[in-house]
């Protein structure tokens, strides 16, 4: 599933102003017939003029094929990059170079649990967070080790450093039923949604390999990915429609009498609108074929994608396709790490394949991927305040998904650590049902500003559940 066509040549150091010829055979590129592509360029030693003796690697300015997202990877996923990563890129539209932008280096906290097949795969690499830079055709990168403290030694850089340049490919063809997401068409709305069909779908929806929104034949991979949501949307539909509270209650037969008791009304929020993987253009051939599930969903971990805030809501599907490709092709994961994503306009997206209503195991919070789900708000919220629409979408999503498993968003959940830098493997930890990534792993994620909104999300989620 993961095609790595690798070749490499030596890259000579040159003057900083030199622009190299267009990229040729020194990068790995995916099959050009697939939507999107990845260029993988090895980094080379650079002279550390500002801090002699401090290891530094990178690439000087060079022309490359178009890309929109960057990240740095290395050979051993257990190695940590103790240093800084900075990139500058040239916009395709203007030909102008950006200033230096920092890339978040502590991405190892987003990963499959230790000892799992996904983590132990030979293809898994260490990686930084990805950074969205928009349509670009030039790149420069520098990676510097941390300067030593008094009397200390310099931390070496990880082996096999490479920069990954990701082209997300094109959006799904127009006319298939999905207008570009945006403020006028948020996922939390009830009017002009992006699904041309209605209802929750039936078993018969899984018996056809045709996209009901366009009549196009689905590939086997697309059909399998859609089929796991067949109880929620017609196969091939690009968005799972939102149910009203009344529809939700009717579908669950609240208060129905049985031979022995009256079924109590569970606290489950209305199902929000969710853009499916087909809706945001996921290439199902990239991921591993099978799905992996845990027993239940006892907690939700909130993340920020750390990809920056320089994207429009119309670009959110491209950002998602880029993250997906970076997680699978560049980092070696089985699929995108997050179970769901939310953009700045409050649109909700299906993440890792396996069914939005099912307890799909993700790779979002190292040590606590079992019996949990991961929600990534697209953007960086260390110093930027997350939009209210994003926080509302998180509340609506958790009210529904946690409600399916009987969880109060204001309550606590006990999870068993799979091993991490806060809790040793096997430790039983009581966490908030809606937690931030940093609650399970020592990291800045989901950023101070987003973390500060967790109380609001918990209270709103509980209200959507009718508590």
């Amino acid at each position: 599933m993961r095609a790595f066509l690798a070749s490499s040549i030596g890259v000579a150091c040159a003057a900083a102003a030199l622009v190299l010829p267009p990229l040729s055979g020194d990068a790995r590129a995916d099959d050009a017939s697939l939507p999107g592509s990845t260029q993988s360029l090895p980094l080379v030693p650079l002279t550390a003029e500002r801090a002699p003796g401090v290891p530094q690697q990178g690439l000087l300015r060079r022309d490359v094929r178009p890309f929109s997202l960057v990240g740095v990877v290395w050979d051993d996923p257990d190695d940590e990059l103790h240093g800084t990563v900075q990139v500058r890129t040239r916009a395709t539209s203007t030909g102008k170079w950006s200033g230096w932008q920092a890339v978040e280096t502590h991405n190892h906290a987003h990963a499959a649990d230790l000892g799992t097949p996904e983590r132990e795969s030979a293809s898994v690499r260490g990686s930084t967070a990805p950074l969205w830079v928009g349509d670009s055709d030039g790149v420069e990168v520098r990676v510097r080790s941390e300067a030593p403290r008094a009397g200390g030694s310099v931390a070496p850089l990880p082996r096999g450093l490479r920069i990954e340049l990701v082209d997300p490919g094109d959006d799904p063809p127009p006319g298939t039923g999905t207008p570009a997401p945006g403020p006028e068409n948020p996922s939390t709305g009830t009017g002009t949604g992006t699904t041309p069909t209605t209802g929750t779908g039936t078993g018969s929806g899984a018996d056809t390999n045709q996209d009901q929104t366009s009549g196009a034949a689905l590939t086997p991979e697309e059909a399998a990915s859609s089929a796991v949501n067949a109880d929620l949307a017609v196969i091939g539909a690009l968005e799972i429609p939102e149910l009203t509270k009344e529809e939700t209650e009717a579908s669950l037969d609240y208060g129905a009498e049985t031979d022995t008791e009256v079924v109590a009304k569970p606290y489950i929020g209305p199902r929000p609108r969710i853009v499916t993987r087909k809706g945001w253009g996921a290439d199902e051939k990239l991921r591993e074929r099978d799905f992996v599930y845990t027993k239940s969903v006892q907690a939700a971990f909130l993340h920020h994608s750390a990809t920056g805030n320089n994207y429009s809501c119309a670009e959110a599907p491209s950002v998602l396709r880029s993250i997906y490709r970076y997680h699978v092709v560049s980092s070696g994961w089985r699929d995108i790490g997050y179970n769901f994503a939310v953009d700045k306009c409050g649109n909700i997206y299906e993440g890792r394949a396996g069914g939005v209503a099912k307890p799909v195991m993700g790779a979002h919070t190292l040590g606590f991927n079992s019996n949990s789900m991961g929600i990534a708000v697209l953007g960086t919220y260390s110093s930027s305040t997350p939009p209210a629409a994003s926080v509302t979408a998180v509340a609506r999503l958790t009210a529904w998904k946690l409600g399916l498993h009987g969880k109060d968003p204001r309550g606590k959940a006990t999870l068993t650590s799979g091993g991490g830098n806060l809790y040793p493997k096997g430790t039983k930890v009581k966490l908030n049902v809606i937690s931030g990534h940093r609650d399970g792993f020592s990291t800045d994620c989901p950023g101070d500003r987003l973390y500060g909104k967790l109380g609001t999300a918990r209270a709103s989620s509980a209200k959507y559940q009718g508590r």
Side-chain angles (χ1 to χ4, degrees), residues 13-32:
C13 294
L18 178 63
V19 177
L20 298 181
L23 178 69
S24 54
D26 61 343
R28 183 191 66 237
D30 299 278
D31 184 342

Side-chain angles (χ1 to χ4, degrees), residues 104-152:
E104 172 60 56
T105 60
H106 301 296
N107 197 47
H108 61 282
H110 305 75
D113 288 346
L114 301 173
T116 60
E118 181 174 2
R119 174 71 179 192
E120 301 305 317
S121 168
S123 65
V124 175
R125 295 176 171 182
S127 58
T128 68
L131 178 68
W132 176 261
V133 294
D135 195 13
S136 306
D137 59 8
V139 68
E140 184 175 9
V141 59
R142 59 191 184 196
V143 180
R144 290 174 177 161
S145 180
E146 291 178 346
R149 297 178 180 178

Side-chain angles (χ1 to χ4, degrees), residues 172-178 194 196-197 209-218 222 234-238 278:
T176 57
T178 302
T194 61
T197 58
N209 285 351
Q210 189 177 54
D211 182 349
Q212 300 300 314
T213 65
S214 64
L218 297 176
E222 289 173 336
V234 176
I235 189 169
L238 302 184
K278 184 172 180 59

Side-chain angles (χ1 to χ4, degrees), residues 110-453:
H110 305 75
D113 288 346
L114 301 173
T116 60
E118 181 174 2
R119 174 71 179 192
E120 301 305 317
S121 168
S123 65
V124 175
R125 295 176 171 182
S127 58
T128 68
L131 178 68
W132 176 261
V133 294
D135 195 13
S136 306
D137 59 8
V139 68
E140 184 175 9
V141 59
R142 59 191 184 196
V143 180
R144 290 174 177 161
S145 180
E146 291 178 346
R149 297 178 180 178
S153 58
V154 178
L157 293 173
R159 297 182 59 183
L161 288 170
R162 306 179 71 89
I163 187 168
E164 304 285 294
L165 308 176
V166 180
D167 171 15
D170 296 331
D171 285 328
T176 57
T178 302
E184 71 288 349
N185 185 34
S187 67
T188 54
T190 57
T192 61
T194 61
T195 303
T197 58
T198 59
T200 59
T202 64
S204 62
D207 295 333
T208 176
N209 285 351
Q210 189 177 54
D211 182 349
Q212 300 300 314
T213 65
S214 64
L218 297 176
T219 66
E221 293 82 7
E222 289 173 336
S225 183
S226 296
V228 294
N229 286 324
D231 56 336
L232 299 175
V234 176
I235 189 169
L238 302 184
E239 185 173 285
I240 296 170
E242 179 181 32
L243 292 182
T244 65
K245 190 72 172 179
E246 292 74 21
E247 288 172 328
T248 302
E249 292 175 0
S251 68
L252 293 171
D253 199 18
Y254 288 166
E257 293 187 6
T258 67
D259 293 338
T260 58
E261 63 179 349
V262 174
V263 178
K265 174 181 175 179
Y267 292 102
I268 304 175
R271 190 182 70 227
R273 306 177 74 92
I274 301 172
V275 179
T276 66
R277 290 172 62 91
K278 184 172 180 59
W280 54 264
D283 178 1
E284 300 297 351
K285 294 184 178 66
L286 290 180
R287 65 171 174 84
E288 289 188 4
R289 179 176 180 178
D290 297 329
F291 309 125
V292 178
Y293 301 98
T294 59
K295 294 180 179 179
S296 65
V297 178
Q298 297 294 301
F301 287 98
L302 194 61
H303 305 258
H304 65 175
S305 62
T307 45
N309 302 319
N310 189 28
Y311 73 94
S312 68
C313 291
E315 291 178 313
S318 294
V319 176
L320 266 179
R321 291 196 303 277
S322 297
I323 295 174
Y324 170 44
R325 181 173 284 275
Y326 183 71
H327 281 180
V328 177
V329 176
S330 301
S331 302
W333 301 359
R334 69 188 321 275
D335 194 350
I336 191 171
Y338 308 112
N339 298 103
F340 297 93
V342 172
D343 69 24
K344 62 176 67 175
C345 291
N347 299 294
I348 302 172
Y349 303 84
E350 178 183 13
R352 180 163 286 206
V356 294
K358 299 180 181 181
V360 178
M361 177 179 275
H364 49 85
T365 305
L366 180 60
F368 292 99
N369 289 304
S370 292
N371 300 324
S372 71
M373 68 173 181
I375 305 169
V377 179
L378 299 181
T380 303
Y381 298 105
S382 301
S383 57
S384 297
T385 300
S390 300
V391 179
T392 297
V394 169
R396 293 175 69 90
L397 175 60
T398 53
W400 169 67
K401 185 66 180 280
L402 293 172
L404 294 177
H405 297 270
K407 303 304 294 184
D408 184 341
R410 304 164 302 183
K412 302 284 185 179
T414 299
L415 300 178
T416 302
S417 172
N421 61 5
L422 281 182
Y423 303 102
K425 185 175 183 178
T427 305
K428 293 187 180 299
V429 185
K430 182 174 287 188
L431 296 164
N432 289 311
V433 168
I434 297 180
S435 287
H437 186 180
R438 64 179 64 177
D439 295 323
F441 195 96
S442 180
T443 174
D444 292 334
C445 186
D448 290 345
R449 295 293 182 89
L450 183 54
Y451 189 76
K453 294 295 184 180

